[in-house]
Amino acid sequence: MNCSDLRGLSPGPRQIASGVFWAGVNDCVKDLFESLWPIPDGVSYNAYVVVGSEGAAVIDGVDEHLAYEYVEKVREIVGDLGRVKYLVVNHLEPDHHASTPRLLDLARNASVLVSSVGAKIIGSLYRVPEDRIVEVKDGERVDLGGRTLRFVYTPWLHWPETMMTYVEEEGVLFSCDAFGSFGALVRGIFDDEVDLEYYLEEAKRYFSNIVLKYSRNVLEAIDKIEKLGLEIRVLAPSHGPVYRKHVDKVVSLYRDLSQPKLCARATVVYGSMYGRTEEVARAVAETLERSGASVNLVDAARTHPSYSLRLIVESAAVVFVFPTYDASVFPPVREVMNYLYVKQAGRGRLAAILNTFSWGPSAREAVDVLSRAGFQVVEPVVTTKSMLSPEDRKKIEELAERVSSELRRFGSCA
Ligand code: FEO
């Protein structure tokens, strides 16, 4: 069963620890997350409710078109929405809080708990009465009666205001975007109920698309949680499964992606208008493979950049093979480069450039954007005419060998 088979249905509310409930929803309607990233199997917005003897706190919310389902789940958990004392805002992005005005209209006693940066910017996103906004400090606690919320500032995961919330008695960490994954929750909500390998693979794509730029902040957050000695018995992100059996697996995955131990893997990203440049790209890939490298070959015109980024994040080198188009880099390849620049994805990775042309090269444009993206560009870049001369073939072979030689220092991926 996939997301569309659900016909808009999500699992009902689920208890994830004593007094702690999942009240999330599946989004099987959107085709693009952030209007950028394909989600063929949907995505979940995981909201939660913590219930103590003195009242309840709702942890985050959902996107606007699913607000009704979310509010009804909260109501089912707490009985009377008047029992909701707090709405905790870990992160203001609308996939988590476009539902907030509706919840606040109905949960009339709820105050909005938000970080100091969040308190400054919440009004730029949502209609929330100022007297209902309460700034919480890093490390501050709120007692719900037998359930204590502790707020941990974790900025830039993935906006400046982000924080996490920890339920001290139960060891539940609401981590918001961190440790998230694409994919609606179709067979259950826990890591031991779903196809975990699928979600971990989608967590890699989610990381590459959403979190990559903030890799240093991921490491700082993990470090902070460890130094605070917060035992995580249940890790409850805002997208993807709730982890109760394999907390370490997803934390390690995020740590490794944030400081990748790169091996001799190259991704060859190519664009080809009439097939000739594709032949060049295949020849480069074969040379790299012969040298022992692990190689991904990506036709940028037929692969969404979301998937290219996912492959590049685990690659030590990226080889761009493209023709000049309208005196510029062939647009689908340029689009991948643009995303790499926006995400600052280079981080010392190698980039090799091979540009075919008939009357004007565009390789320097590629050097410029890739250098600004943090790549170490392998020089000299190679430009060839569309009709390859014997010298062109030699230059291509030499470039592939230079990349192979550079890759050897990373060690085998086996
Ligand atoms: Fe899931 Fe940054 O929002």
Side-chain angles (χ1 to χ4, degrees), residues 113-171:
L113 306 186
V114 62
S115 70
S116 52
V117 177
K120 288 191 182 78
I121 60 178
I122 189 169
S124 66
L125 285 151
Y126 309 112
R127 169 182 50 80
V128 178
E130 277 193 21
D131 61 355
R132 297 180 73 177
I133 298 171
V134 178
E135 179 184 322
V136 292
K137 306 230 171 318
D138 187 24
E140 191 171 332
R141 292 174 170 84
V142 162
D143 183 7
L144 296 170
R147 294 288 172 274
T148 311
L149 305 181
R150 178 170 171 182
F151 306 106
V152 182
Y153 279 20
T154 49
W156 295 106
L157 294 176
H158 90 283
W159 281 6
E161 86 296 3
T162 41
M163 64 179 190
M164 297 185 188
T165 300
Y166 182 69
V167 185
E168 293 193 321
E169 293 79 1
E170 297 300 318

Side-chain angles (χ1 to χ4, degrees), residues 239-379:
H239 304 291
V242 176
Y243 294 84
R244 62 181 176 187
K245 288 276 193 303
H246 302 286
V247 172
D248 289 349
K249 244 184 196 176
V250 71
V251 172
S252 298
L253 177 72
Y254 263 70
R255 183 191 277 120
D256 292 348
L257 291 170
S258 298
Q259 51 178 15
K261 296 174 190 71
L262 296 173
C263 58
R265 178 177 288 116
T267 296
V268 178
V269 177
Y270 74 91
S272 182
M273 295 167 68
Y274 299 103
R276 291 181 183 181
T277 311
E278 179 175 349
E279 278 178 34
V280 173
R282 289 189 183 281
V284 170
E286 279 163 22
T287 303
L288 294 173
E289 268 173 347
R290 272 199 306 277
S291 76
S294 166
V295 180
N296 309 304
L297 185 63
V298 177
D299 178 352
R302 293 172 180 80
T303 308
H304 192 282
S306 167
Y307 297 91
S308 302
L309 259 63
R310 148 76 189 87
L311 295 172
I312 288 169
V313 107
E314 289 189 320
S315 299
V318 190
V319 185
F320 295 91
V321 186
F322 56 90
T324 293
Y325 183 92
D326 283 353
S328 184
V329 173
F330 186 56
V333 175
R334 174 68 207 216
E335 190 184 14
V336 175
M337 293 176 183
N338 289 348
Y339 276 110
L340 293 171
Y341 168 68
V342 169
K343 300 292 173 187
Q344 288 295 292
R347 293 163 199 272
R349 289 179 177 84
L350 302 167
I353 292 165
L354 210 164
N355 168 215
T356 60
F357 69 97
S358 300
W359 63 88
S362 54
R364 293 326 297 182
E365 176 189 325
V367 171
D368 177 54
V369 66
L370 293 169
S371 302
R372 287 188 290 114
F375 283 87
Q376 182 193 329
V377 177
V378 178
E379 295 277 7

Side-chain angles (χ1 to χ4, degrees), residues 33-34 91 93 95-96 158-159 176-177 206 210 238-239:
F33 189 74
E34 295 183 334
H91 173 29
E93 195 163 4
D95 55 331
H96 306 293
H158 90 283
W159 281 6
C176 207
D177 278 351
Y206 177 87
I210 311 296
S238 290
H239 304 291

Side-chain angles (χ1 to χ4, degrees), residues 43-213:
V43 69
S44 70
Y45 311 125
N46 301 332
Y48 301 92
V49 181
V50 183
V51 181
S53 60
E54 307 295 322
V58 176
I59 314 294
D60 293 316
V62 304
D63 206 347
E64 193 164 25
H65 64 291
L66 294 159
Y68 176 81
E69 186 181 345
Y70 152 73
V71 170
E72 289 312 304
K73 282 183 183 171
V74 173
R75 195 198 303 275
E76 192 177 331
I77 293 164
V78 299
D80 172 359
L81 288 173
R83 291 189 65 211
V84 177
K85 287 179 79 172
Y86 305 111
L87 169 64
V88 174
V89 175
N90 283 319
H91 173 29
L92 280 163
E93 195 163 4
D95 55 331
H96 306 293
H97 283 285
S99 57
T100 283
R102 179 187 282 261
L103 181 73
L104 293 178
D105 280 348
L106 298 167
R108 305 297 303 174
N109 301 323
S111 300
V112 177
L113 306 186
V114 62
S115 70
S116 52
V117 177
K120 288 191 182 78
I121 60 178
I122 189 169
S124 66
L125 285 151
Y126 309 112
R127 169 182 50 80
V128 178
E130 277 193 21
D131 61 355
R132 297 180 73 177
I133 298 171
V134 178
E135 179 184 322
V136 292
K137 306 230 171 318
D138 187 24
E140 191 171 332
R141 292 174 170 84
V142 162
D143 183 7
L144 296 170
R147 294 288 172 274
T148 311
L149 305 181
R150 178 170 171 182
F151 306 106
V152 182
Y153 279 20
T154 49
W156 295 106
L157 294 176
H158 90 283
W159 281 6
E161 86 296 3
T162 41
M163 64 179 190
M164 297 185 188
T165 300
Y166 182 69
V167 185
E168 293 193 321
E169 293 79 1
E170 297 300 318
V172 178
L173 183 68
F174 304 112
S175 60
C176 207
D177 278 351
F179 313 115
S181 162
F182 292 134
L185 296 169
V186 293
R187 292 181 205 285
I189 67 162
F190 288 107
D191 53 352
D192 54 308
E193 294 176 338
V194 299
D195 177 356
L196 186 58
E197 290 313 309
Y198 162 80
Y199 286 100
L200 291 176
E201 179 57 33
E202 281 295 80
K204 288 184 184 177
R205 191 164 67 91
Y206 177 87
F207 175 92
S208 313
N209 297 177
I210 311 296
V211 186
L212 172 62
K213 188 166 187 174

